[in-house]
Amino acid sequence: MATRKKPTLLAQGKPRTLGGSARPWRVRLYAPEDGGTKYQVMFRAPAGEGEPWKRVLRRANSEEEARKIFAQAEAALDTERETPAGADVRASRTIEMLGREYLSESTRRGKQPRTMEQRESRLNAHILPTIGGVPVAKWRVEHSRLVMEKGAKTIFSQRGREDLRGQLAAMRKLAWRLDWLDQSIDPLDGLEIGRANVLHGATAQYVDPRLRPETRQVKAMADAADKLCGPGGTDPLLTRLPLFGTKIRVAGFGGLRLGEQNALRAIDVFFEHGYVHVNGAWITPRGAAGFRGPVKNHTLHEVPLPKSLLVGELLPRVKELLDLPGKASLQQVVNAQEEERQRRASLAAKEKDRNLAWWNYPVAPEDEFWLFVDTETGLPVKPEAHNERWHRIRAWVEDNDPDNAWPKTIVYRNLRHHAATKWFHDELGEPWEVVAQYLGDKLTTVLNHYVRAGEDALRDSVSKLAEL
């Protein structure tokens, strides 16, 4: 009987005694046997807690693939990481599994509920229906193109398509880090999104001045909200938001985001200093109760407001919330606010969580001192209801004050753009560094949004030419 020929040894690693072996062993790479096509990589790997290491065989269809497995096994043993998975495990690691891992990691990193909802929506609407069953190890650029083609059918904005590609890029990075995808393979290589036209001197994030409302428009909307949402209003859906006009002024002259407006409380207004302390955001996850969460970027900031707004509109509301008589002096209000802050600070000091302070000490939403509420619930209004009321007011202004009508192309959140440019920068003359502090944004973000290189020179040239 003929003896079976031993496979040819192509490479072997350093001697090891890991796993309680009495004799040294090595990672070995063998060429295919006669008549065979599979390369073989043999090594040892942990079998379980306290159990002897078991022998592992990994097969590959090419020498290049086999040498990658060989190198991975050597590196894993050197650094005590997980050794290369078998073909069955690699096949089970699909894009769907990677997507779920991506969402889990985002949760661990403390991403906001709205951010999580957007990521989950992109995953479920575009990525999984297209390539969810593809093994991550076989993810290639043609698969990514299919995702973008599907997304283009329902995503019409440039920003939306960029977000979809950005999520694919984040999943690719995670796949590399988990060692589910060889780092020599880039499934987004060459996958570019058509560039949008950009005004000279502006960044891609530049906010067109036409999308920054005029001060007269802000005042017209706020005045209309006072009329329609106040005690004399006739629409019960609007009168549920009694301080909507004040809220519009806080947004238009303070630049707060909608979640920050909704999260304002009586103790966040510092009348003696002339500003509000922005330290939280009202968050409404899908299918769950709203709650007061951290401010965006976890950046606390103070925002100055006009005295007429602070004293004329917010002060009566704060007196009401703190159970003070209408004739209470400003000092009495300030004393009551500070007493409540100190009470919460003392409670926070007794907690194990050292990150708690007066401004983020947890209080049941129904017991909080909200400035702006839906009277039907006693809680801050949901964003969807807020926007619906906003459009009712916009339509009223369009019919009754057409000279100051709010353009349909400008959404509510663009009140923040008015505060940054027309109010803080132009009217108050604040430098962009200060504007960024008031908005709770990075300076680079503010400059990208509002500053266009050469704009001042262009304005000067136009003025000179007008005289010729």
Side-chain angles (χ1 to χ4, degrees):
M1 184 176 179
T3 58
R4 187 176 181 181
K5 184 179 179 181
K6 291 184 178 180
T8 303
L9 179 65
L10 298 179
Q12 61 180 354
K14 64 184 70 172
R16 304 178 188 275
T17 57
L18 297 173
S21 175
R23 297 173 55 189
W25 56 272
R26 303 170 186 261
V27 180
R28 289 186 167 88
L29 167 60
Y30 294 99
E33 299 178 350
D34 289 343
T37 60
K38 297 287 187 181
Y39 289 80
Q40 299 179 352
V41 181
M42 293 185 177
F43 55 91
R44 294 189 182 188
E49 189 69 31
E51 298 181 14
W53 284 27
K54 63 181 180 180
R55 295 188 58 168
V56 179
L57 170 63
R58 295 283 180 264
R59 294 185 173 88
N61 293 322
S62 66
E63 183 174 350
E64 180 183 6
E65 182 183 356
R67 288 192 179 276
K68 286 181 181 179
I69 296 175
F70 176 86
Q72 290 171 355
E74 278 287 285
L77 291 167
D78 285 341
T79 57
E80 297 185 4
R81 292 185 295 122
E82 186 178 349
T83 53
D88 55 338
V89 175
R90 292 198 302 273
S92 68
R93 293 170 175 169
T94 61
I95 296 294
E96 181 177 3
M97 184 182 294
L98 177 65
R100 301 306 174 197
E101 183 63 30
Y102 170 69
L103 294 180
S104 298
E105 185 184 65
S106 298
T107 301
R108 290 193 294 270
R109 292 172 60 192
K111 295 299 179 182
Q112 295 283 11
R114 286 283 183 180
T115 301
M116 293 299 303
E117 289 171 3
Q118 292 165 0
R119 293 183 177 184
E120 187 172 4
S121 292
R122 284 191 288 268
L123 185 69
N124 292 334
H126 305 295
I127 299 175
L128 297 189
T130 310
I131 60 171
V134 175
V136 175
K138 296 183 179 180
W139 181 15
R140 299 295 183 268
V141 68
E142 54 266 25
H143 299 120
S144 301
R145 284 200 181 98
L146 290 174
V147 173
M148 296 306 299
E149 289 171 3
K150 175 176 173 51
K153 295 177 180 178
T154 53
I155 301 176
F156 303 109
S157 69
Q158 180 77 8
R159 180 63 181 271
R161 292 190 291 272
E162 289 173 354
D163 287 343
L164 179 56
R165 190 192 185 284
Q167 184 152 330
L168 289 173
M171 291 173 61
R172 172 193 59 184
K173 184 177 180 181
L174 178 60
W176 282 343
R177 181 156 55 82
L178 295 175
D179 207 17
W180 290 9
L181 179 67
D182 193 290
Q183 295 199 18
S184 65
I185 299 172
D186 183 359
L188 300 183
D189 184 30
L191 183 66
E192 301 298 336
I193 301 175
R195 297 184 62 183
N197 293 324
V198 179
L199 191 64
H200 187 271
T203 67
Q205 293 81 36
Y206 183 70
V207 178
D208 193 305
R210 293 176 301 170
L211 298 178
R212 308 173 192 177
E214 299 293 335
T215 302
R216 59 180 175 80
Q217 295 171 322
V218 175
K219 290 181 177 179
M221 289 291 290
D223 291 344
D226 288 340
K227 178 181 179 65
L228 298 174
C229 301
T234 57
D235 188 338
L237 292 179
L238 288 172
T239 54
R240 282 173 55 174
L241 309 180
L243 291 179
F244 206 148
T246 302
K247 189 178 184 183
I248 291 173
R249 294 183 185 94
V250 168
F253 297 102
L256 279 71
R257 303 173 180 90
L258 178 57
E260 296 167 351
Q261 299 161 37
N262 285 334
L264 281 178
R265 306 162 299 178
I267 56 175
D268 296 325
V269 186
F270 286 76
F271 294 103
E272 69 274 33
H273 300 304
Y275 64 73
V276 293
H277 191 266
V278 184
N279 50 47
W282 179 252
I283 299 171
T284 53
R286 290 176 187 164
F291 64 95
R292 194 176 195 273
V295 70
K296 187 173 182 180
N297 302 323
H298 295 265
T299 303
L300 309 183
H301 54 286
E302 298 91 8
V303 178
L305 292 176
K307 185 177 180 180
S308 59
L309 178 56
L310 280 171
V311 177
E313 300 183 54
L314 293 182
L315 182 58
R317 173 61 174 163
V318 171
K319 290 181 181 179
E320 176 188 350
L321 290 168
L322 296 179
D323 289 329
L324 295 173
K327 61 181 181 180
S329 68
L330 179 60
Q331 188 60 53
Q332 288 177 300
V333 175
V334 170
N335 291 343
Q337 288 176 307
E338 189 57 32
E339 182 179 346
E340 176 62 19
R341 294 184 195 118
Q342 288 297 332
R343 184 186 74 83
R344 298 188 185 204
S346 299
L347 293 173
K350 299 176 183 178
E351 299 290 337
K352 294 181 180 179
D353 187 352
R354 296 292 90 188
N355 293 320
L356 290 179
W358 69 264
W359 49 267
N360 65 348
Y361 182 78
V363 174
E366 57 272 14
D367 297 329
E368 197 50 279
F369 300 123
W370 308 114
L371 290 181
F372 308 116
V373 297
D374 179 346
T375 56
E376 190 76 15
T377 64
L379 300 174
V381 64
K382 292 183 178 180
E384 296 79 9
H386 169 97
N387 290 330
E388 195 274 340
R389 307 304 191 273
W390 163 261
H391 286 298
R392 286 171 178 256
I393 298 169
R394 185 196 59 74
W396 188 93
V397 173
E398 186 174 349
D399 292 337
N400 295 274
D401 190 6
D403 290 341
N404 295 313
W406 188 278
K408 295 179 181 179
T409 55
I410 303 181
V411 296
Y412 179 86
R413 67 173 176 269
N414 285 19
L415 285 165
R416 180 174 170 85
H417 301 324
H418 170 270
T421 56
K422 311 284 186 183
W423 183 247
F424 290 141
H425 187 65
D426 295 344
E427 185 71 22
L428 302 184
E430 300 290 3
W432 290 114
E433 294 85 350
V434 174
V435 174
Q437 293 176 20
Y438 290 165
L439 296 180
D441 267 331
K442 296 179 181 177
L443 176 59
T444 52
T445 301
V446 170
L447 294 178
N448 286 340
H449 279 168
Y450 305 120
V451 179
R452 176 185 159 213
E455 190 172 17
D456 292 338
L458 175 65
R459 191 181 299 112
D460 291 341
S461 297
V462 169
S463 299
K464 293 176 183 176
L465 290 171
E467 300 173 358
L468 297 180

